């Protein structure tokens, strides 16, 4: 692997340069000022979790399960009492600032609801998430907390997961759900809709559910951004044609709310408690999304409480910059052609640590081949097909990822390929290049689960591993020790256009590293034709690209 990397680097030649960023210096100054302003966004308060309303046994269990979680952040100290107040809540703070964890705590803190007639427990909180791995991560967190509590109940009484997944048996999931309704039901909207379609809309009595949390809400509910002309019409048509399972589900749960508008809001507030408290969360909640929830969607009560990280007091463009550019994340772009791999023109000279060569955890074993995973018959067949078919991936780009991975990554890195791309094919191609690539899967120890709660002093020592995922499957994921992230290409969703969705997408991708004050390195690998779009994305976000020193 090391030999390959060296070869790849020495082959680089200089490409004709694009025009320099004229505003890079200005942006860099702005990012520094903003980073200063937001420093305390996720610094812990001196309050205890008990003082902000967590039940003492839960607070102790959390500290035991997550030794680094000692005090709530300012945002968490605002959020947990707001949820206790039973009003609807919109939560927005930068990626990795502890939103999901605090939502989990607030959910576990709610008293268990029981049917007064039968005494049977009901689901207290429904947690909607965009994808399987985030659902599994949340269940894993709850499992840890439960295991660290006194006389822990069986996990299925506390948390269950509903997914649209080939491995999950719908009938047995439904049976467990009706026999033992959990305190927290974590589901993808599509998974839950499957259950409602089979069991009927009353399979879960939503009037008995205390809260519905929609995590990564802007991903689950697409709304029309402030676009102009044809693009706006195109997006609107797409939404109307495919409203998406999350919207369909909220229409079922909040059908009773939809008749209330701003004109009869008094009545709305006095309405008996018929619908669950609605809690929305994301690092990027645009105004058009809020407007939709309050207005046309009719899901949110007008007196919903907004809980926002410090950073959001700034101007929107600066907010974006601050969200994505804390000084603890360095952003790099490698432009790859047939002839060369080089830094994007205009990239700034790096801080010492930005392009520092990592001392790989596995340096003693660098001559050892990485472990080959045991393959099922289906996997062997798939590889046979791959060996006979051309790859959709630009091999130069994958070589650049392999080279940078070998140079910089001591333990684990994440590689995000564009949505719709084949993860298995990317893994196959990368392994052929000598990279220990694996498809990210939170259920499997070697493919991500190992890294779920590790970090800091207990950093996992493994052969450096590159976990491959897509844009669609990485939202909200937390691998605490992750420091290196590779992104393939630019987001092609809107063609050459850079919309708010494109920018939000970059913020969320970059947000997989530099979490909770840690350091992070983001390396985008693009083709020359994607250069102008990448420049625009970084320019709009106020992010200066920094040179990787080992590349021209
Ligand atoms: N009060 C705290 N003290 C220390 N660490 C914390 C605290 N709250 C959360 N964390 C840690 O911060 C990391 C990020 O948490 P979490 O995934 O909840 O962030 P997030 O804001 O939901 O991220 P994203 O925007 O990507 O969804 C986790 O590793 C979590 O354990």
């Amino acid at each position: 692997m090391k030999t390959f990397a060296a070869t790849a680097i020495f082959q680089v030649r200089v490409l004709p340069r694009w025009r320099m960023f004229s505003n890079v210096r200005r942006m860099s100054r702005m990012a520094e000022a903003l980073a200063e302003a937001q420093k305390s966004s996720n610094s812990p308060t001196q309050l205890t979790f008990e003082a902000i309303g967590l039940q003492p046994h839960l607070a102790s269990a959390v500290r035991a399960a997550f030794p680094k979680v000692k005090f709530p952040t300012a945002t968490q100290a605002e959020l947990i009492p707001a949820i206790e107040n039973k009003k609807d809540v919109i939560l927005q703070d930068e990626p990795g600032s502890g939103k999901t964890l605090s939502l989990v705590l607030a959910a576990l803190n709610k008293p268990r609801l029981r049917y007064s007639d039968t005494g049977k427990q009901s689901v207290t909180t429904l947690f909607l998430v965009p994808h399987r791995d985030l659902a599994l991560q949340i269940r894993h967190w709850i499992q840890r907390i439960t295991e660290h509590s006194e006389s822990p109940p069986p996990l299925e009484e506390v948390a269950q997961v509903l997914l649209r997944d080939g491995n999950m048996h719908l009938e047995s999931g439904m049976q467990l759900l009706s026999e033992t309704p959990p305190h927290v039901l974590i589901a993808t909207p599509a998974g839950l809709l499957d259950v409602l379609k089979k069991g009927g809309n009353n399979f879960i009595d939503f009037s008995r559910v205390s809260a519905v949390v929609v995590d990564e809400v802007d991903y689950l509910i697409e709304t029309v951004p402030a676009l102009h002309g044809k693009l706006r019409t195109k997006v609107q048509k797409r939404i109307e044609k495919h409203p998406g399972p999350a919207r369909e589900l909220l229409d079922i749960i909040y059908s009773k709310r939809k008749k209330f508008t701003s004109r009869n809001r008094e009545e709305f507030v006095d309405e008996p408690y018929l619908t669950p408290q609605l809690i929305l969360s994301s690092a990027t909640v645009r105004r058009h999304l809020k407007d939709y929830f309050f207005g046309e969607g009719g899901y949110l009560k007008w007196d919903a409480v907004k809980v926002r990280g410090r950073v959001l007091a700034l101007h929107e463009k600066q907010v974006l910059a601050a969200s994505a550019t804390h000084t603890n994340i360095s952003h790099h772009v490698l432009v790859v052609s047939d002839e060369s791999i080089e830094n994007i023109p205009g990239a700034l000279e790096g801080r010492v640590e930005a392009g520092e060569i990592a001392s790989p955890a596995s340096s003693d074993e660098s001559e050892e081949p990485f472990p080959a995973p045991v393959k099922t018959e289906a996997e062997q067949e798939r590889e046979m097909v791959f060996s006979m078919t051309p790859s959709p991936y630009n091999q130069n780009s994958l070589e650049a990822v392999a080279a940078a991975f070998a140079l910089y990554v001591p333990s684990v890195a994440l590689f995000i390929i564009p949505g719709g791309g084949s993860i298995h094919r990317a893994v196959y191609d990368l392994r052929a290049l000598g990279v220990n690539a694996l498809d990210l899967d939170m259920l499997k120890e070697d493919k991500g689960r190992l890294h779920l709660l590790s970090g800091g002093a207990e950093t996992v020592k493994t052969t450096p591993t590159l976990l491959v995922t897509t844009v669609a499957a990485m939202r909200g994921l937390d691998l605490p020790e992750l420091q290196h992230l590779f992104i393939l290409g630019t987001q092609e969703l809107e063609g050459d256009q850079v919309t708010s969705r494109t920018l939000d997408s970059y913020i969320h991708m970059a947000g997989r590293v530099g979490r909770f004050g840690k350091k992070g390195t983001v390396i985008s690998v693009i083709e020359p034709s994607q250069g102008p779009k990448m420049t625009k994305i970084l320019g709009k976000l106020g992010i200066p690209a920094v040179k990787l020193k080992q590349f021209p």
Side-chain angles (χ1 to χ4, degrees):
M1 190 161 62
K2 301 281 173 271
T3 322
F4 158 75
T7 321
I9 305 292
F10 289 125
Q11 277 175 350
V12 294
R13 263 185 265 140
V14 181
L15 269 185
R17 296 199 157 225
W18 296 318
R19 63 181 170 78
M20 300 278 281
F21 293 169
S22 59
N23 53 353
V24 150
R25 275 183 199 291
R26 181 179 57 77
M27 291 188 303
S28 146
R29 277 198 302 274
M30 186 171 95
E32 274 168 25
L34 288 163
E36 195 52 40
Q38 60 153 352
K39 244 181 204 161
S40 59
S41 173
N42 55 21
S43 351
T45 56
Q46 287 310 309
L47 292 166
T48 60
F49 279 107
E50 287 85 343
I52 62 164
L54 277 203
Q55 296 167 43
H57 73 271
L58 176 58
S60 314
V62 171
R63 285 187 292 262
F66 299 87
K68 291 200 179 117
V69 179
K70 295 188 173 78
F71 301 101
T73 63
T75 311
Q76 291 170 335
E78 203 183 326
L79 177 82
I80 288 171
I83 292 181
E84 285 289 293
N85 269 340
K86 300 205 173 95
K87 284 198 173 161
D88 290 351
V89 176
I90 306 173
L91 167 64
Q92 185 176 4
D93 201 355
E94 60 188 355
S97 56
K99 295 184 293 299
T100 305
L101 181 65
S102 50
L103 293 169
V104 166
L105 300 184
L108 292 175
N109 205 38
K110 280 183 177 277
R112 266 325 286 268
L113 297 181
R114 283 177 194 279
Y115 291 90
S116 51
D117 41 357
T118 59
K120 198 178 159 194
Q121 293 181 326
S122 71
V123 170
T124 312
T125 298
L126 169 63
F127 219 112
L128 293 175
V129 295
H131 58 88
R132 162 192 191 271
D133 280 332
L134 185 55
L136 295 173
Q137 176 187 300
I138 292 172
R139 185 177 63 182
H140 183 70
W141 285 0
I142 294 178
Q143 183 178 5
R144 285 291 293 232
I145 295 170
T146 308
E147 283 168 359
H148 284 85
S149 57
E150 277 175 34
S151 45
L155 180 63
E156 65 261 27
E157 282 183 19
V158 190
Q160 284 173 36
V161 160
L162 279 180
L163 306 167
R164 178 177 281 177
D165 184 332
N167 299 324
M168 240 194 84
H169 200 276
L170 192 60
E171 304 256 333
S172 54
M174 286 173 71
Q175 195 179 346
L176 182 64
L177 182 58
S178 65
E179 282 170 8
T180 315
H183 195 154
V184 184
L185 178 64
I186 313 149
T188 56
L192 185 52
L193 270 185
D194 282 351
V195 166
L196 298 186
K197 274 177 191 151
K198 197 156 171 65
N201 283 359
N202 294 330
F203 186 76
I204 298 175
D205 182 354
F206 290 109
S207 68
R208 308 275 188 149
V209 171
S210 169
V212 173
V213 175
V214 189
D215 201 5
E216 307 295 342
V217 59
D218 58 324
Y219 188 83
L220 283 175
I221 305 273
E222 195 178 356
T223 46
V224 188
L227 296 170
H228 301 289
K230 278 189 190 153
L231 192 54
R232 187 185 164 85
T233 322
K234 208 170 122 190
V235 177
Q236 194 147 20
K237 274 198 182 143
R238 191 181 60 208
I239 296 174
E240 278 162 15
K241 211 165 157 196
H242 307 286
R247 218 181 270 251
E248 211 179 312
L249 202 53
L250 291 184
D251 280 343
I252 296 171
I253 301 173
Y254 292 101
S255 59
K256 292 189 182 116
R257 282 191 180 185
K258 288 173 83 73
K259 60 183 184 229
F260 297 102
T261 65
S262 53
R263 269 187 243 124
N264 55 9
R265 47 164 64 168
E266 303 297 311
E267 207 183 323
F268 193 175
V269 170
D270 294 339
E271 170 214 23
Y273 186 61
L274 290 174
T275 50
Q277 170 186 30
L278 180 58
I279 302 162
L280 311 176
S281 171
S282 180
T284 47
V285 184
R286 299 274 179 166
R287 184 170 301 153
H288 52 83
L289 182 86
K290 281 184 228 162
D291 290 349
Y292 176 78
F293 266 83
F294 279 116
E296 196 189 330
Y299 309 127
L300 265 181
K301 286 192 178 178
W302 67 275
D303 58 349
V305 177
K306 294 178 189 123
V307 178
R308 297 179 289 191
R310 254 173 73 95
V311 66
L312 297 173
L314 300 164
H315 177 270
E316 191 176 54
K317 182 173 173 189
Q318 295 174 328
V319 170
L320 290 172
S323 319
T325 63
H326 352 200
T327 43
N328 51 332
I329 300 184
S330 55
H331 299 258
H332 313 269
V333 182
L334 290 177
V335 184
V336 182
S337 69
D338 283 344
E339 293 81 31
S340 66
I341 305 170
E342 65 170 19
N343 285 290
I344 194 166
L348 303 180
E349 291 302 329
R351 292 168 303 172
V352 183
E353 70 273 18
E356 204 171 60
I357 296 190
S359 44
S362 63
S363 53
D364 300 344
E365 56 206 286
S366 58
E367 297 309 317
E368 294 286 318
F370 51 78
V374 182
K375 290 174 199 149
T376 61
E377 217 168 285
E379 284 165 343
Q380 287 173 17
E381 267 174 42
R382 191 167 56 214
E383 292 201 352
M384 176 86 85
V385 174
F386 288 159
S387 70
M388 294 184 300
T389 48
S391 171
Y393 295 108
N394 180 327
Q395 295 302 300
N396 294 331
S397 299
L398 295 188
E399 281 186 22
V401 171
F405 174 76
L407 273 171
Y408 304 125
V409 178
S411 168
V412 62
L414 191 67
F415 179 36
I416 302 178
I417 60 173
S422 160
I423 295 179
H424 290 128
R425 182 68 208 222
V427 167
Y428 175 84
D429 289 356
L430 284 161
R431 293 187 78 85
L433 290 169
V435 178
N436 182 30
L438 295 168
D439 49 310
L440 180 81
D441 183 343
M442 287 295 184
L443 267 184
K444 307 226 169 90
E445 205 63 8
D446 58 337
K447 295 181 172 178
R449 195 180 170 85
L450 185 67
H451 303 279
L452 258 181
L453 285 181
S454 52
E458 328 83 72
T459 295
V460 182
K461 299 270 186 290
T462 60
T463 309
T465 304
L466 185 60
L467 296 169
V468 183
T469 185
T470 62
V471 162
M474 61 84 212
R475 273 274 191 142
L477 284 186
D478 183 63
L479 302 170
E481 72 174 300
L482 192 75
Q483 285 185 20
H484 293 84
L485 173 74
F486 295 91
I487 301 174
L488 185 64
T490 51
Q491 289 301 294
E492 299 307 336
L493 187 69
E494 318 289 356
D496 284 339
Q497 295 249 13
V498 174
T499 63
S500 54
R501 215 170 157 80
T502 326
L503 301 179
D504 292 352
S505 178
Y506 186 86
I507 290 172
H508 283 277
M509 287 192 286
R512 291 322 94 209
V513 292
R515 295 173 76 72
F516 217 82
K518 301 217 177 66
K519 280 191 177 162
T521 299
V522 178
I523 303 176
S524 295
V525 175
I526 61 168
E527 295 174 25
S529 61
Q530 296 167 324
K533 186 172 179 188
M534 194 72 220
T535 304
K536 222 176 187 176
I537 293 172
L538 296 183
K540 284 198 176 221
L541 289 172
I543 297 175
V546 177
K547 257 190 183 169
L548 284 170
K549 284 188 284 185
Q550 285 69 36
F551 295 87

